Amino acid sequence: MTLTGELFIASKRVKRDGGGFRAVQASTGQEIEPAFSVATTDDVETAVAAAEAAFPVYSQMPREKRAEFLEAIADEIDALGDALTERAHAESGLPAARLNGERGRTSGQMRLFARELRLGEYLRARIDHAIPDRQPAPKPDLRLRLVPLGPVTVFGASNFPLAFSVGGGDTASALAAGCPVVVKGHSAHPGTAELVAGAITRAAEKTGMPKGVFSLINGPGNSVGAALVTDPRIKAVGFTGSRGGGTQLMKLAANRPVPIPVYAEMSSVNPVFLLPAALEARAEALGAGFVASLTMGAGQFCTNPGLVLGIEGPALDRFVTAATDAMAGAPSQVMLTPGIHKAYTSGVARWASAPALSQVGQGQEAAGPTCGQAALFTMTGKDFLADPSHAEEVFGAASLLVRCADVNEMAAVIGLLEGQLTATLHLDDGDLDLARQLLPRLERLAGRILANGWPTGVEVTDAQVHGGPFPSTSDGRSTSVGALAIDRFLRPVAYQDLPAALLPVELRDGDAGIPRRVDGKPTL
């Protein structure tokens, strides 16, 4: 499948003159063809204007029509097959098996939201009939549903070139909500982005969508992204990336004359708590399982277990021995970009130079210029309480074990942690009372709480939450994965005493075919 390096603006391919920019092969650091166009200020204007023009049409389309569009996107992405995997592998260094799974997840998300549209539950439809003879004042007729915000900007993510990028969860949920999407492609994988953008464009044409429903614009640096976020016609932003990048977008959005929400997934070390009975019973298995989770995908997951807490003693020593042994056999792995590799090695060096930290585990030596070598450090709970900054994320296969003196010290450490995507408890029956004490603290700390598992791996289901208190995400009330992700791009509107002919079909009397609450009672 031939790549052209073109932009996609309102369903039209656009080629810009000039040198453009090229992707870099992750394993070698060498540039690969072709050159990709850099969007101009006029391109941003055209894309956003088209999205704004498409919004009144697309947002009012029947739910079934939008569902067919999402399913067509899924079919087109699936049809890309090995060509998509091969290009994504070259640009990201991720193995083919991982990328094939991510491709399935990407199309699966589109189908999930197509199902959500057909169910109609996401509309939160409510009807409160009038009571004209109520005393001392009549009660009006009130009806409520959620409506789409408007055009949305989505930023492609470096660590998930498919599932969190051009056709990823942010795009899927925004399109499902009824919002046209303008994607700012990530400069690390522009070829992958072009392939997926082509799939979305073909699906839009086949299902009769308005031309401005989707655009992809590219450009290294921050100017294109800033222009999108500050454009008054953009009504929300989806972002997965660094804490610095996310907070900068939040500032831009907050400083607009009319501020808008930025749903940014940013920084998380995903603490793992090794409770005493579980640690005593299976320290060796826990050590091996921890390293497998830590080193998966070179540690480049949002939910990587970057912090482990256990209570000092022989059982924790056994865990460290098992983890150290497992890590010694872990091969180095290609990291996503030279920049990410540089940041990882810098973070590991920072830990290595900290007097309070000791390195106890190391993976095999780097096999290439962009390969990351796994690392495990330890420190005491007392030292952590004196300086909790050591818990800052090192993005990659590096983790910090905090050896707590007792349960009280572990609880004190929890109190100093920032917001997280996940928190994991490894426990046995003998740990239930302690876990019960910790659970309210963990509910305040994280968006997802696991028992006897590892946080890497995020199922796309109705009950999933991939979000958490700041800085794991910019808005801990939201999730970027699962059916509830659609809520980010909707807002409530109430209709008071409107004639039946003007009401949305989902709010008219009679059988609407969706779940609703009528006069305070759930009904189908």
Side-chain angles (χ1 to χ4, degrees):
M1 198 167 293
T2 302
L3 295 173
T4 65
E6 294 169 316
L7 310 171
F8 289 77
I9 300 179
S11 298
K12 181 181 178 182
R13 286 178 174 265
V14 176
K15 184 73 170 179
R16 287 286 165 247
D17 295 332
F21 71 100
R22 287 171 174 78
V24 172
Q25 186 153 349
S27 59
T28 65
Q30 301 298 310
E31 288 187 340
I32 50 179
E33 296 295 334
F36 288 86
S37 295
V38 175
T40 65
T41 303
D42 288 344
D43 291 330
V44 173
E45 164 63 28
T46 302
V48 176
E52 176 70 11
F55 178 67
V57 179
Y58 183 65
S59 63
Q60 297 301 313
M61 280 186 167
R63 290 177 289 113
E64 176 61 29
K65 188 71 173 174
R66 296 208 304 269
E68 291 171 359
F69 174 38
L70 296 181
E71 288 175 335
I73 294 173
D75 291 342
E76 292 289 341
I77 289 174
D78 286 343
L80 292 171
D82 291 343
L84 181 60
T85 299
E86 290 166 5
R87 182 69 190 198
H89 169 69
E91 293 180 331
S92 69
L94 296 171
R98 147 75 191 272
L99 290 166
N100 285 335
E102 192 179 330
R103 186 179 72 210
R105 172 176 166 170
T106 304
S107 58
Q109 288 174 150
M110 292 290 176
R111 296 187 175 100
L112 170 76
F113 285 108
R115 185 208 65 181
E116 196 69 10
L117 283 169
R118 293 190 173 104
L119 289 174
E121 196 175 45
Y122 76 97
L123 291 167
R124 309 289 196 273
R126 285 160 164 72
I127 297 175
D128 294 320
H129 287 104
I131 306 178
D133 57 354
R134 188 186 69 174
Q135 296 297 326
K139 176 186 175 184
D141 184 278
L142 280 165
R143 306 181 184 220
L144 176 149
R145 67 167 181 169
L146 301 186
V147 302
L149 294 178
V152 168
T153 284
V154 170
F155 286 78
S158 64
N159 62 333
F160 280 85
L162 299 175
F164 279 90
S165 290
V166 174
D170 289 345
T171 297
S173 52
L175 290 175
C179 300
V181 173
V182 180
V183 174
K184 164 60 171 67
H186 197 286
S187 57
H189 39 76
T192 305
E194 180 182 324
L195 291 172
V196 176
I200 297 173
T201 299
R202 288 191 294 276
E205 292 170 349
K206 289 179 179 179
T207 55
M209 295 297 111
K211 293 188 181 301
V213 74
F214 171 81
S215 293
L216 167 69
I217 57 179
N218 290 317
N222 300 324
S223 60
V224 170
L228 286 168
V229 174
T230 55
D231 191 293
R233 292 162 293 190
I234 295 296
K235 300 305 181 185
V237 176
F239 172 84
T240 298
S242 70
R243 186 169 179 172
T247 53
Q248 182 60 35
L249 294 180
M250 292 167 62
K251 290 176 183 177
L252 288 172
N255 288 332
R256 291 174 29 150
V258 179
I260 59 172
V262 173
Y263 297 104
E265 181 198 319
M266 299 179 290
S267 176
S268 184
V269 295
N270 308 294
V272 175
F273 300 88
L274 307 174
L275 301 192
L279 193 57
E280 182 64 39
R282 53 182 190 277
E284 290 77 13
L286 288 171
F290 158 67
V291 171
S293 177
L294 176 69
T295 58
M296 182 187 299
Q300 299 167 121
F301 286 89
C302 317
T303 51
N304 204 43
L307 184 68
V308 183
L309 295 92
I311 296 174
E312 193 71 79
L316 188 58
D317 292 338
R318 289 162 44 211
F319 169 85
V320 171
T321 298
T324 300
D325 290 346
M327 188 169 283
S332 65
Q333 299 178 63
V334 174
M335 300 195 75
L336 291 159
T337 68
I340 288 174
H341 175 261
K342 181 179 179 180
Y344 173 70
T345 56
S346 176
V348 170
R350 184 180 72 248
W351 276 358
S353 65
L357 275 64
S358 299
Q359 185 165 4
V360 295
Q362 192 171 41
Q364 295 178 9
E365 291 186 6
T370 59
C371 288
Q373 184 179 16
L376 175 62
F377 292 80
T378 69
M379 71 184 305
T380 66
K382 180 181 178 181
D383 285 337
F384 184 92
L385 293 174
D387 185 2
S389 68
H390 294 300
E392 291 179 4
E393 181 183 29
V394 175
F395 187 66
S399 189
L400 174 62
L401 168 65
V402 179
R403 306 180 73 123
C404 300
D406 51 32
V407 170
N408 291 332
E409 192 168 84
M410 180 181 284
V413 169
I414 294 175
L416 293 181
L417 296 179
E418 296 182 316
Q420 305 291 330
L421 293 171
T422 72
T424 301
L425 292 168
H426 282 280
L427 71 163
D428 276 358
D429 289 345
D431 297 312
L432 290 178
D433 287 342
L434 174 56
R436 195 172 288 113
Q437 295 174 38
L438 295 179
L439 197 56
R441 295 172 179 264
L442 300 185
E443 288 173 344
R444 296 183 67 181
L445 178 71
R448 177 164 57 110
I449 301 170
L450 298 82
N452 296 330
W454 299 101
T456 40
V458 182
E459 288 291 331
V460 182
T461 68
D462 289 325
Q464 183 60 273
V465 172
H466 191 59
F470 186 88
S472 63
T473 56
S474 55
D475 188 340
R477 298 167 297 177
S478 66
T479 175
S480 62
V481 178
L484 287 180
I486 195 174
D487 288 355
R488 298 172 298 164
F489 306 115
L490 298 165
R491 63 179 180 86
V493 171
Y495 305 84
Q496 183 169 328
D497 291 331
L498 258 68
L502 295 180
L503 285 169
V505 294
E506 294 90 353
L507 296 182
R508 295 175 186 173
D509 289 333
D511 183 9
I514 63 170
R516 302 189 297 185
R517 185 178 296 179
V518 179
D519 295 326
K521 297 178 181 179
T523 182
L524 291 175

PDB file of all heavy atoms in Angstrom, residues 184-200:
ATOM      1  N   LYS A 184      -4.696  15.684  15.160  1.00  0.00           N
ATOM      2  CA  LYS A 184      -3.301  16.099  14.999  1.00  0.00           C
ATOM      3  C   LYS A 184      -2.463  14.827  15.107  1.00  0.00           C
ATOM      4  O   LYS A 184      -2.310  14.255  16.179  1.00  0.00           O
ATOM      5  CB  LYS A 184      -2.922  17.095  16.097  1.00  0.00           C
ATOM      6  CG  LYS A 184      -1.412  17.336  16.290  1.00  0.00           C
ATOM      7  CD  LYS A 184      -0.726  17.883  15.047  1.00  0.00           C
ATOM      8  CE  LYS A 184       0.702  18.307  15.343  1.00  0.00           C
ATOM      9  NZ  LYS A 184       1.593  17.163  15.683  1.00  0.00           N
ATOM     10  N   GLY A 185      -1.935  14.358  13.979  1.00  0.00           N
ATOM     11  CA  GLY A 185      -1.174  13.116  13.967  1.00  0.00           C
ATOM     12  C   GLY A 185       0.133  13.248  14.721  1.00  0.00           C
ATOM     13  O   GLY A 185       0.756  14.310  14.739  1.00  0.00           O
ATOM     14  N   HIS A 186       0.577  12.153  15.343  1.00  0.00           N
ATOM     15  CA  HIS A 186       1.861  12.158  16.044  1.00  0.00           C
ATOM     16  C   HIS A 186       2.982  12.037  15.019  1.00  0.00           C
ATOM     17  O   HIS A 186       2.935  11.195  14.117  1.00  0.00           O
ATOM     18  CB  HIS A 186       1.936  11.016  17.049  1.00  0.00           C
ATOM     19  CG  HIS A 186       3.003  11.187  18.074  1.00  0.00           C
ATOM     20  ND1 HIS A 186       4.344  11.015  17.793  1.00  0.00           N
ATOM     21  CD2 HIS A 186       2.943  11.545  19.378  1.00  0.00           C
ATOM     22  CE1 HIS A 186       5.051  11.249  18.887  1.00  0.00           C
ATOM     23  NE2 HIS A 186       4.229  11.566  19.862  1.00  0.00           N
ATOM     24  N   SER A 187       4.013  12.853  15.173  1.00  0.00           N
ATOM     25  CA  SER A 187       5.086  12.881  14.176  1.00  0.00           C
ATOM     26  C   SER A 187       5.949  11.629  14.197  1.00  0.00           C
ATOM     27  O   SER A 187       6.737  11.414  13.269  1.00  0.00           O
ATOM     28  CB  SER A 187       5.967  14.115  14.396  1.00  0.00           C
ATOM     29  OG  SER A 187       6.506  14.129  15.705  1.00  0.00           O
ATOM     30  N   ALA A 188       5.800  10.770  15.208  1.00  0.00           N
ATOM     31  CA  ALA A 188       6.593   9.543  15.261  1.00  0.00           C
ATOM     32  C   ALA A 188       6.050   8.453  14.349  1.00  0.00           C
ATOM     33  O   ALA A 188       6.790   7.550  13.952  1.00  0.00           O
ATOM     34  CB  ALA A 188       6.674   9.010  16.695  1.00  0.00           C
ATOM     35  N   HIS A 189       4.780   8.502  14.019  1.00  0.00           N
ATOM     36  CA  HIS A 189       4.230   7.451  13.146  1.00  0.00           C
ATOM     37  C   HIS A 189       3.246   8.016  12.120  1.00  0.00           C
ATOM     38  O   HIS A 189       2.065   7.649  12.080  1.00  0.00           O
ATOM     39  CB  HIS A 189       3.568   6.327  13.971  1.00  0.00           C
ATOM     40  CG  HIS A 189       2.792   6.789  15.183  1.00  0.00           C
ATOM     41  ND1 HIS A 189       1.552   7.363  15.094  1.00  0.00           N
ATOM     42  CD2 HIS A 189       3.093   6.740  16.489  1.00  0.00           C
ATOM     43  CE1 HIS A 189       1.111   7.643  16.297  1.00  0.00           C
ATOM     44  NE2 HIS A 189       2.037   7.280  17.169  1.00  0.00           N
ATOM     45  N   PRO A 190       3.732   8.894  11.241  1.00  0.00           N
ATOM     46  CA  PRO A 190       2.851   9.517  10.251  1.00  0.00           C
ATOM     47  C   PRO A 190       2.362   8.559   9.174  1.00  0.00           C
ATOM     48  O   PRO A 190       1.269   8.749   8.626  1.00  0.00           O
ATOM     49  CB  PRO A 190       3.726  10.623   9.649  1.00  0.00           C
ATOM     50  CG  PRO A 190       5.130  10.130   9.831  1.00  0.00           C
ATOM     51  CD  PRO A 190       5.120   9.403  11.137  1.00  0.00           C
ATOM     52  N   GLY A 191       3.165   7.538   8.848  1.00  0.00           N
ATOM     53  CA  GLY A 191       2.710   6.573   7.846  1.00  0.00           C
ATOM     54  C   GLY A 191       1.551   5.747   8.356  1.00  0.00           C
ATOM     55  O   GLY A 191       0.568   5.498   7.644  1.00  0.00           O
ATOM     56  N   THR A 192       1.633   5.307   9.598  1.00  0.00           N
ATOM     57  CA  THR A 192       0.526   4.596  10.239  1.00  0.00           C
ATOM     58  C   THR A 192      -0.707   5.488  10.257  1.00  0.00           C
ATOM     59  O   THR A 192      -1.823   5.032   9.969  1.00  0.00           O
ATOM     60  CB  THR A 192       0.922   4.212  11.671  1.00  0.00           C
ATOM     61  OG1 THR A 192       2.146   3.464  11.643  1.00  0.00           O
ATOM     62  CG2 THR A 192      -0.159   3.388  12.332  1.00  0.00           C
ATOM     63  N   ALA A 193      -0.508   6.758  10.598  1.00  0.00           N
ATOM     64  CA  ALA A 193      -1.626   7.695  10.646  1.00  0.00           C
ATOM     65  C   ALA A 193      -2.286   7.841   9.278  1.00  0.00           C
ATOM     66  O   ALA A 193      -3.519   7.870   9.170  1.00  0.00           O
ATOM     67  CB  ALA A 193      -1.132   9.063  11.137  1.00  0.00           C
ATOM     68  N   GLU A 194      -1.479   7.920   8.219  1.00  0.00           N
ATOM     69  CA  GLU A 194      -2.053   8.067   6.884  1.00  0.00           C
ATOM     70  C   GLU A 194      -2.899   6.856   6.500  1.00  0.00           C
ATOM     71  O   GLU A 194      -3.989   7.003   5.923  1.00  0.00           O
ATOM     72  CB  GLU A 194      -0.946   8.278   5.850  1.00  0.00           C
ATOM     73  CG  GLU A 194      -1.488   8.447   4.433  1.00  0.00           C
ATOM     74  CD  GLU A 194      -0.411   8.620   3.383  1.00  0.00           C
ATOM     75  OE1 GLU A 194       0.616   9.266   3.690  1.00  0.00           O
ATOM     76  OE2 GLU A 194      -0.595   8.126   2.250  1.00  0.00           O
ATOM     77  N   LEU A 195      -2.413   5.675   6.821  1.00  0.00           N
ATOM     78  CA  LEU A 195      -3.176   4.469   6.486  1.00  0.00           C
ATOM     79  C   LEU A 195      -4.535   4.457   7.185  1.00  0.00           C
ATOM     80  O   LEU A 195      -5.567   4.150   6.576  1.00  0.00           O
ATOM     81  CB  LEU A 195      -2.378   3.226   6.854  1.00  0.00           C
ATOM     82  CG  LEU A 195      -1.125   2.957   6.006  1.00  0.00           C
ATOM     83  CD1 LEU A 195      -0.322   1.807   6.596  1.00  0.00           C
ATOM     84  CD2 LEU A 195      -1.498   2.655   4.557  1.00  0.00           C
ATOM     85  N   VAL A 196      -4.546   4.799   8.478  1.00  0.00           N
ATOM     86  CA  VAL A 196      -5.801   4.789   9.226  1.00  0.00           C
ATOM     87  C   VAL A 196      -6.710   5.929   8.773  1.00  0.00           C
ATOM     88  O   VAL A 196      -7.926   5.755   8.666  1.00  0.00           O
ATOM     89  CB  VAL A 196      -5.524   4.857  10.736  1.00  0.00           C
ATOM     90  CG1 VAL A 196      -6.835   4.953  11.521  1.00  0.00           C
ATOM     91  CG2 VAL A 196      -4.731   3.637  11.199  1.00  0.00           C
ATOM     92  N   ALA A 197      -6.134   7.097   8.501  1.00  0.00           N
ATOM     93  CA  ALA A 197      -6.944   8.209   8.004  1.00  0.00           C
ATOM     94  C   ALA A 197      -7.613   7.856   6.675  1.00  0.00           C
ATOM     95  O   ALA A 197      -8.768   8.224   6.428  1.00  0.00           O
ATOM     96  CB  ALA A 197      -6.077   9.455   7.844  1.00  0.00           C
ATOM     97  N   GLY A 198      -6.887   7.141   5.824  1.00  0.00           N
ATOM     98  CA  GLY A 198      -7.487   6.695   4.573  1.00  0.00           C
ATOM     99  C   GLY A 198      -8.669   5.775   4.812  1.00  0.00           C
ATOM    100  O   GLY A 198      -9.694   5.853   4.119  1.00  0.00           O
ATOM    101  N   ALA A 199      -8.543   4.897   5.818  1.00  0.00           N
ATOM    102  CA  ALA A 199      -9.646   3.987   6.144  1.00  0.00           C
ATOM    103  C   ALA A 199     -10.872   4.770   6.618  1.00  0.00           C
ATOM    104  O   ALA A 199     -12.011   4.475   6.211  1.00  0.00           O
ATOM    105  CB  ALA A 199      -9.190   3.003   7.221  1.00  0.00           C
ATOM    106  N   ILE A 200     -10.666   5.752   7.482  1.00  0.00           N
ATOM    107  CA  ILE A 200     -11.794   6.540   7.985  1.00  0.00           C
ATOM    108  C   ILE A 200     -12.440   7.334   6.854  1.00  0.00           C
ATOM    109  O   ILE A 200     -13.675   7.419   6.769  1.00  0.00           O
ATOM    110  CB  ILE A 200     -11.322   7.481   9.110  1.00  0.00           C
ATOM    111  CG1 ILE A 200     -10.810   6.672  10.304  1.00  0.00           C
ATOM    112  CG2 ILE A 200     -12.452   8.415   9.547  1.00  0.00           C
ATOM    113  CD1 ILE A 200     -10.176   7.504  11.394  1.00  0.00           C
TER     114      ILE A 200
END
